[in-house]
Amino acid sequence: MDFGKNTPQRPGGLKQCFVSALLYCTGEMQQLHTHMQDKFFPLQLVEGCLRGISRVILLNNPLSGALILAALLLESPWQALLGMLGLLASTFTAIILGQDCEEVSSGLYGFNGMLVALLMGVFSSAGDWYLWLLLPVCLGGAATTFLSSSLAPVLDRWDLPVSVFPFNTVLLLYLVCTGTSNPFFPNHPAQPPGAPESLIYRCVCCSHQLLQGVVLGVGQIFACGTVGPSLLILVAVFLFSPILAVYFSLLSSAGLSMSVQHSFLYSGLSGFNGALGCMVVGVFYILSWRTHLLSIANALLSTHTHTHTHTHKQICTLVLLLTGKNLKEYRIPTGKVTSPEQNFTKSAFTMISEAPCDIKDWSTGLKFC
């Protein structure tokens, strides 16, 4: 009798458990992070590394990091190995230097090392499984931690994140020092985008190829040039924040506004900077119609400087330094950023429960995990 009475309640209970588990896996998974504080060091290291992988695209979710790692393995096991070595080198260097434990466990010292390692593999002309490349990958990953530690006190004065400044600096130095004819670490020669095709051909281009280019614009951040891994990375973004996933996919199409070869459009090389540019606004600003326009402008400007990584980063930095009153009140302090959904919810709660206040009052009046 009891079994029959409880049977109708089981579907609802299962549905509730599924929704609860899904909500637990979204956002920053702060409960898991708190739970891992007293666990063994290897478990904490795994969580920190997975968060470091997701930090490459401004996420902070270990499951998102696991999905991105799976995408890298699907694309190229060699590239995945290089990325993990760079990540571990930068993370262990931060531990040895005695950097803040919370920042290390959140992956803030790992993503630059991973980016440097991935791009070293992309630019190398020696092919896959060239073991000599492991040496500069480890050294480059460690060097990003030194630069991050040095730049953080300077950028904190303007409430700016260190972001990918160490990655840009170390990678450019590596490419300048090695060149294309180095006997141990040869690199591919730089190729300009080239002249665009005729306007007539541009009008008859296939829509499915353009759609593929939008998806690949997401994957090109991790040097993934196929659709499957790129879709997996997009799912990782959606797991952290559906809003960012929509921003990411839509504004990666900003590359269509450029006059470049179709190969750049179809491969996603003309759109990944635009996707990152809009995500910077989505993470560091509370959503409003003003910040929507700002994200579009930042995506377009970032896209049109796609051949210059330093220029793209400078544009994003200038966006974070905007001092206009109507935008500054939506700016989130660097140490308080989280997913756009949580930012929007907390800001709405503050507007209801408190009188209007400036960004300092707002940031101190809320308790963030």
Side-chain angles (χ1 to χ4, degrees):
M1 296 296 294
D2 293 338
F3 178 80
K5 184 183 295 184
N6 294 333
T7 301
Q9 298 177 0
R10 291 184 63 190
L14 291 176
K15 182 179 179 181
Q16 185 178 2
C17 291
F18 175 77
V19 173
S20 300
L22 184 62
L23 292 176
Y24 180 82
C25 296
T26 58
E28 294 187 346
M29 296 186 66
Q30 187 63 37
Q31 293 179 353
L32 174 65
H33 187 62
T34 303
H35 178 71
M36 296 293 293
Q37 297 303 312
D38 58 347
K39 300 302 178 182
F40 294 110
F41 173 75
L43 294 177
Q44 295 180 1
L45 180 64
V46 169
E47 188 215 2
C49 288
L50 291 178
R51 290 183 183 272
I53 295 173
S54 65
R55 288 280 189 178
V56 174
I57 47 178
L58 304 177
L59 311 182
N60 185 15
N61 186 302
L63 287 183
S64 296
L67 289 175
I68 294 171
L69 180 59
L72 290 175
L73 289 170
L74 185 62
E75 175 73 17
S76 171
W78 170 243
Q79 283 289 98
L81 174 63
L82 292 180
M84 288 306 300
L85 279 178
L87 178 71
L88 289 172
S90 56
T91 302
F92 276 115
T93 303
I95 295 174
I96 295 172
L97 292 177
Q99 299 297 326
D100 183 74
C101 294
E102 179 62 27
E103 293 181 353
V104 175
S105 62
S106 298
L108 290 176
Y109 286 96
F111 67 94
N112 275 299
M114 184 173 198
L115 276 175
V116 165
L118 289 175
L119 269 295
M120 283 183 179
V122 168
F123 286 114
S124 175
S125 60
D128 292 351
W129 305 108
Y130 181 66
L131 299 183
W132 276 107
L133 194 61
L134 300 181
L135 178 61
V137 161
C138 294
L139 293 177
T144 60
T145 299
F146 283 98
L147 287 176
S148 297
S149 178
S150 302
L151 290 173
V154 178
L155 296 177
D156 282 345
R157 298 179 181 178
W158 294 280
D159 192 26
L160 292 174
V162 175
S163 190
V164 294
F165 279 115
F167 153 69
N168 287 331
T169 304
V170 173
L171 182 64
L172 288 177
L173 288 175
Y174 169 77
L175 294 177
V176 169
C177 292
T178 54
T180 59
S181 58
N182 190 286
F184 295 102
F185 310 112
N187 299 312
H188 294 290
Q191 297 292 337
E197 286 83 352
S198 64
L199 180 62
I200 297 178
Y201 182 73
R202 287 172 61 91
C203 294
V204 298
C205 60
C206 298
S207 59
H208 76 276
Q209 289 180 305
L210 293 177
L211 181 60
Q212 174 180 302
V214 172
V215 176
L216 292 178
V218 178
Q220 286 292 353
I221 300 173
F222 291 89
C224 292
T226 53
V227 176
S230 300
L231 286 174
L232 200 57
I233 294 173
L234 188 58
V235 171
V237 179
F238 185 85
L239 184 63
F240 175 74
S241 169
I243 294 177
L244 284 184
V246 174
Y247 266 57
F248 211 38
S249 56
L250 289 181
L251 291 183
S252 66
S253 61
L256 301 179
S257 64
M258 300 182 60
S259 180
V260 295
Q261 287 184 341
H262 287 169
S263 59
F264 272 69
L265 295 177
Y266 299 153
S267 63
L269 290 173
S270 62
F272 70 93
N273 270 336
L276 282 175
C278 75
M279 285 189 70
V280 169
V281 179
V283 170
F284 287 93
Y285 283 89
I286 301 171
L287 295 180
S288 69
W289 68 269
R290 292 186 178 91
T291 55
H292 284 312
L293 296 177
L294 181 63
S295 65
I296 295 173
N298 193 26
L300 291 173
L301 290 173
S302 299
T303 298
H304 283 256
T305 59
H306 73 288
T307 55
H308 305 283
T309 56
H310 270 299
T311 308
H312 156 67
K313 182 55 194 171
Q314 289 167 3
I315 290 175
C316 292
T317 301
L318 291 176
V319 167
L320 295 179
L321 286 173
L322 289 174
T323 57
K325 180 180 179 182
N326 290 334
L327 285 176
K328 188 177 181 180
E329 64 183 3
Y330 294 101
R331 174 73 157 84
I332 301 172
T334 302
K336 309 295 183 181
V337 294
T338 179
S339 64
E341 289 83 1
Q342 294 182 9
N343 291 332
F344 185 77
T345 303
K346 290 174 181 177
S347 63
F349 174 78
T350 304
M351 292 174 63
I352 295 174
S353 60
E354 297 181 0
C357 55
D358 58 14
I359 188 64
K360 293 183 179 180
D361 294 333
W362 174 81
S363 62
T364 57
L366 290 175
K367 294 182 178 180
F368 289 84
C369 298

